[in-house]
Amino acid sequence: MAEPTKKVSKRKEYKNDEPAGEQQEKKTWWVQIRLFPIWLRIILVIGLIVLAAALGAMVGYGIIGDGQPKDALKWETWQHIIDIMSGKK
């Protein structure tokens, strides 16, 4: 039986064609430095989600629902909605 041939990418074929001395000279290390740490990215995403939810509630309550947009951020409004949903009113 014939052995199956191994597929090699063009990049690896090119590297294999170079002499050994040139491969060692061109070897460079790439270090990526993050501008924002992971914890700051997570906090930023959570903050943007909260901001989008607040703006969405204000647009929905104020523009679509014919109320005052700032009333969407008051606790009394949400308590009234919770009471309607739970059947107390």
Side-chain angles (χ1 to χ4, degrees):
M1 270 170 67
E3 275 189 44
T5 58
K6 189 175 184 182
K7 291 186 179 182
V8 179
S9 69
K10 294 290 183 186
R11 180 188 293 177
K12 287 184 180 180
E13 285 178 5
Y14 179 73
K15 284 185 177 182
N16 290 339
D17 290 342
E18 294 178 356
E22 288 182 26
Q23 284 182 348
Q24 290 178 355
E25 290 176 11
K26 291 184 179 181
K27 189 175 185 180
T28 58
W29 294 95
W30 182 263
V31 178
Q32 181 179 0
I33 300 173
R34 292 188 175 106
L35 294 176
F36 300 108
I38 298 294
W39 61 268
L40 184 61
R41 291 180 191 185
I42 292 171
I43 291 173
L44 185 67
V45 167
I46 291 171
L48 289 174
I49 290 171
V50 168
L51 181 67
L55 288 175
M58 290 175 71
V59 167
Y61 190 80
I63 296 173
I64 298 173
D66 295 330
Q68 294 295 324
K70 63 182 177 181
D71 288 343
L73 302 178
K74 292 182 179 177
W75 174 248
E76 293 83 22
T77 304
W78 290 102
Q79 186 64 47
H80 179 70
I81 294 170
I82 292 170
D83 289 342
I84 291 172
M85 289 174 47
S86 63
K88 292 183 182 177
K89 283 190 176 182

